Amino acid sequence: MTKIYVKKFGGTSVGTFERIEAVADAIAKAHFEGERQVLVLSAMAGETNRLYAMAANIDPLAPARELDMLVSAGEQVSIALMSIALARRGINARSLLGSQVKVRTNSQFGRASIESVDTGLLMQLLDDGAVPVIAGFQGVNEQGDVTTLGRGGSDTTAVAIAAALDAAECQIFTDVTGVFTTDPNIDPDAQKLDSISFEAMYEMARQGAKVLHPDSVACARRHGVVLRVLSSFESGSGTLIRFDEPEHSGSGIVGIAVTRGQGLVSVAGLVDQPQAEVALFQALANASVDTDLVVQLADEKALAFTLAQGALDRVLTLIDRLALEQPLAEVRHESPLAKVSLVSTGKAVMAEVGARVTELLEAQNIRVKLLSTSEIKLSVVIDEVHLQHAVRSLHRAFDLNKV
């Protein structure tokens, strides 16, 4: 039996008619060479943002169910256009919504999780020589409501379908040639990695590397799906996400991920007030505010956390209200900040890495405002204005320009 390849194409890969035609050419070539393919498509670049903006013009607080119904339409356009392009090339292509494939999810609108994928229709189409073209980012709950998986959710759709079909590979096609040691737009010396472990890739994705959604990496690792990142703009072998640990730089650091547009909030008086701390984070959760790094500042007896800069005003208002009920002390905030995260193979001693990073940055008058470590990751928060200089310096210091 010929192997099955699940191929996901992101918004930039299908962002124009010319890009759709180019992808269709590549799919047609593989098809006529005998490859069995299942495509998963995102909406055309910018389309999801346009749909969200349309809803906001009517109601900035639109019901989550209706938002999912609206924004899921973007993928319907791209899969239909791709199927038309393939049909013109003599291929029996079938565009399919998540509900038609029976991508079953829970009912958490806007951030649903896939629970199962029915492969019956897909296998029937493949056996008939057809190419299924599936809308990513969306599914359907038990009540038949359309759900979406959150930004980047098409990656997870592709991985879940690859797992259900026991595909040979799940190939994520994007606008870069693979996974790099850092963002090439920040440091031109960034190197493409031929391979990277699932653990390191998951951490890179969580810390801001945009090439893969972290949920898709976790899903692939859990189900044993072979995952590869490729470019839809040029040929190449891309980056293979491996189940073992490939060799990397002698420093033990795999790469540097960045997250821009961060805010930092510190609330004094929480360290000795566990009830107030619980109340604060419960209030943040109720307001759907995602916090990132959470660190105790022992000298100030304060708790500090980072969050998206856009949520800062809302959080400060929420804290003001909470202070009427809880014994909160001084509240400080800063923005715009950036988070810089060094991801390791697990061989590097992160305490030593932290000392080296702090010393290197402070020697260049870049103040580390917050530092957090885990087994394979170290993150520092700095002023965003210093981001490029900091990343380039760290990239060189840890020999990532020589991978």
Side-chain angles (χ1 to χ4, degrees):
M1 182 67 71
T2 307
K3 294 177 180 178
I4 298 170
Y5 291 86
V6 175
K7 302 181 178 182
K8 179 263 176 177
F9 293 89
T12 53
S13 297
V14 294
T16 64
F17 297 129
E18 291 76 16
R19 288 307 311 153
I20 290 172
E21 297 281 13
V23 170
D25 282 340
I27 297 302
K29 181 176 184 295
H31 176 79
F32 291 119
E33 289 174 352
E35 197 171 280
R36 300 209 301 171
Q37 305 168 94
V38 175
L39 309 188
V40 176
L41 269 55
S42 298
M44 298 172 75
E47 183 65 8
T48 303
N49 287 340
R50 186 183 74 86
L51 292 170
Y52 274 122
M54 288 174 65
N57 282 330
I58 302 296
D59 183 359
L61 300 175
R65 179 191 181 279
E66 304 311 325
L67 278 177
D68 276 8
M69 180 67 80
L70 175 65
V71 300
S72 64
E75 282 69 25
Q76 185 168 347
V77 173
S78 58
I79 61 172
L81 290 174
M82 181 62 71
S83 297
I84 291 168
L86 291 172
R88 192 163 61 84
R89 289 161 173 79
I91 296 172
N92 179 15
R94 285 280 300 277
S95 59
L96 298 166
L97 299 174
S99 57
Q100 292 173 296
V101 179
K102 297 185 176 64
V103 177
R104 297 288 185 188
T105 75
N106 62 14
S107 297
Q108 188 177 350
F109 296 109
R111 195 67 176 81
S113 297
I114 295 175
E115 296 179 343
S116 66
V117 176
D118 189 330
T119 61
L121 176 59
L122 297 179
M123 288 306 302
Q124 180 184 331
L125 290 170
L126 289 168
D127 290 343
D128 290 342
V131 175
V133 185
I134 303 168
F137 175 63
Q138 63 179 249
V140 62
N141 66 11
E142 284 188 4
Q143 291 73 42
D145 295 318
V146 173
T147 59
T148 66
L149 310 180
R151 291 305 182 100
S154 293
D155 289 353
T156 307
T157 302
V159 169
I161 289 171
L165 291 172
D166 194 23
E169 275 192 8
C170 180
Q171 300 176 343
I172 307 295
F173 286 85
T174 181
D175 55 358
V176 293
T177 55
V179 180
F180 283 74
T181 49
T182 195
D183 185 345
N185 294 313
I186 294 176
D187 190 344
D189 289 334
Q191 301 293 304
K192 184 182 79 69
L193 298 168
D194 292 330
S195 60
I196 185 173
S197 72
F198 270 96
E199 288 75 12
M201 186 68 249
Y202 178 70
E203 202 61 58
M204 288 280 286
R206 283 186 66 238
Q207 302 309 322
K210 303 296 185 186
V211 68
L212 281 172
H213 193 282
D215 288 354
S216 70
V217 181
C219 183
R221 182 72 180 89
R222 188 165 60 249
H223 294 288
V225 174
V226 178
L227 194 58
R228 188 183 296 272
V229 178
L230 296 149
S231 171
S232 63
F233 291 79
E234 56 185 282
S235 60
S237 59
T239 300
L240 176 66
I241 318 302
R242 288 171 46 163
F243 293 94
D244 59 349
E245 184 63 63
E247 288 297 322
H248 291 291
S249 70
S251 68
I253 300 300
V254 179
I256 302 174
V258 302
T259 306
R260 294 179 173 86
Q262 295 285 285
L264 173 64
V265 176
S266 66
V267 183
L270 285 181
V271 172
D272 299 322
Q273 299 289 341
Q275 184 176 348
E277 181 180 336
V278 170
L280 171 61
F281 284 101
Q282 185 60 58
L284 292 173
N286 292 342
S288 299
V289 173
D290 292 326
T291 56
D292 188 7
L293 304 181
V294 180
V295 177
Q296 283 191 357
L297 305 177
D299 293 345
E300 303 174 31
K301 291 189 176 182
L303 199 70
F305 56 90
T306 59
L307 71 167
Q309 183 181 345
L312 191 56
D313 288 343
R314 185 155 51 105
V315 168
L316 293 174
T317 300
L318 184 152
I319 292 174
D320 284 343
R321 293 174 183 169
L322 192 64
L324 300 175
E325 306 169 3
Q326 299 292 337
L328 306 183
E330 183 182 12
V331 177
R332 297 179 182 176
H333 62 90
E334 293 183 71
S335 68
L337 306 175
K339 180 180 69 172
V340 179
S341 301
L342 282 73
V343 177
S344 83
T345 61
K347 297 177 182 177
V349 179
M350 298 314 285
E352 295 177 1
V353 172
R356 186 177 174 190
V357 167
T358 302
E359 181 181 3
L360 188 149
L361 294 179
E362 290 186 350
Q364 300 175 71
N365 296 316
I366 301 175
R367 180 174 166 243
V368 175
K369 298 174 182 292
L370 210 63
L371 184 148
S372 174
T373 63
S374 68
E375 187 176 350
I376 68 167
K377 176 266 300 178
L378 177 137
S379 295
V380 292
V381 176
I382 61 174
D383 284 319
E384 190 170 312
V385 68
H386 298 308
L387 176 62
Q388 186 176 66
H389 184 48
V391 170
R392 289 185 176 188
S393 299
L394 293 170
H395 198 259
R396 287 193 302 273
F398 286 92
D399 296 326
L400 293 174
N401 57 332
K402 301 174 184 176
V403 172

